Amino acid sequence: WTGKCVWNILSVVVYYVLGWLILAVVTILLGGSFTLQTTPELAGPILQSEQMPTGILMSAIWLPLLCSIALSLLQMTVMMILKPIGGYIVVTCVVTASAYFYTPFLIGNSSMLLRSDLVMQGGVSLSESILSYFIVIVISLLAGYLYFRRSDLLDKS
């Protein structure tokens, strides 16, 4: 179980790191500069302002990564218990419900920067987001571990 969890987390991290590296290389090749400073062209359409709040770009980097890890572990755990289709259904429902219902309990909300407390009053705070991700991660790890220990994996094949 530990190996499956480590593999799952590493695959998500590698996916994001490769994305960031490709973004950096293409930016440099096109003559741009790769910084965490916002430009009016980026901030204006999103916030109707020239200035983006401090910390929003760091949130844009870390929250989707943590959300992907949490969803990945949740899906792996549910897939093991309810078969693969169950894992897909649960994750799809969580992500879809996050788009329609505003609550920190639906972890997809934290990946939408416009729902952040840095952008809107009463939005989801960074600490709430990180806490909800870690709760999902810990519950997934524990539930999967307990199920894995009790399962007869050879009998399922």
Side-chain angles (χ1 to χ4, degrees):
W1 175 248
T2 304
K4 289 173 92 46
C5 293
V6 169
W7 175 258
N8 213 325
I9 292 168
L10 284 177
S11 66
V12 171
V13 170
V14 166
Y15 177 83
Y16 275 89
V17 168
L18 286 175
W20 295 327
L21 286 174
I22 291 168
L23 180 65
V25 168
V26 169
T27 299
I28 291 168
L29 288 176
L30 294 176
S33 60
F34 194 73
T35 67
L36 290 178
Q37 300 298 319
T38 58
T39 62
E41 294 82 17
L42 177 63
I46 296 173
L47 305 173
Q48 288 78 40
S49 163
E50 297 285 318
Q51 231 13 29
M52 201 170 276
T54 307
I56 198 161
L57 288 177
M58 291 308 290
S59 295
I61 291 171
W62 291 109
L63 291 182
L65 174 66
L66 289 173
C67 184
S68 296
I69 290 171
L71 287 173
S72 178
L73 290 172
L74 175 66
Q75 182 175 356
M76 180 179 67
T77 301
V78 173
M79 286 175 79
M80 188 172 56
I81 297 170
L82 299 178
K83 308 291 182 217
I85 193 71
Y88 293 124
I89 290 171
V90 167
V91 169
T92 301
C93 287
V94 167
V95 172
T96 303
S98 296
Y100 291 101
F101 301 104
Y102 175 72
T103 173
F105 299 112
L106 292 170
I107 62 176
N109 276 303
S110 303
S111 289
M112 296 181 233
L113 291 179
L114 291 178
R115 292 190 179 173
S116 167
D117 67 348
L118 298 171
V119 177
M120 69 181 266
Q121 191 162 2
V124 179
S125 75
L126 183 60
S127 58
E128 284 176 336
S129 302
I130 292 171
L131 179 65
S132 66
Y133 293 146
F134 281 112
I135 288 171
V136 170
I137 289 169
V138 168
I139 289 172
S140 298
L141 291 173
L142 289 175
Y145 174 75
L146 293 173
Y147 184 81
F148 193 81
R149 277 191 43 204
R150 294 182 330 169
S151 293
D152 182 8
L153 298 176
L154 296 177
D155 189 40
K156 287 187 177 184
S157 30

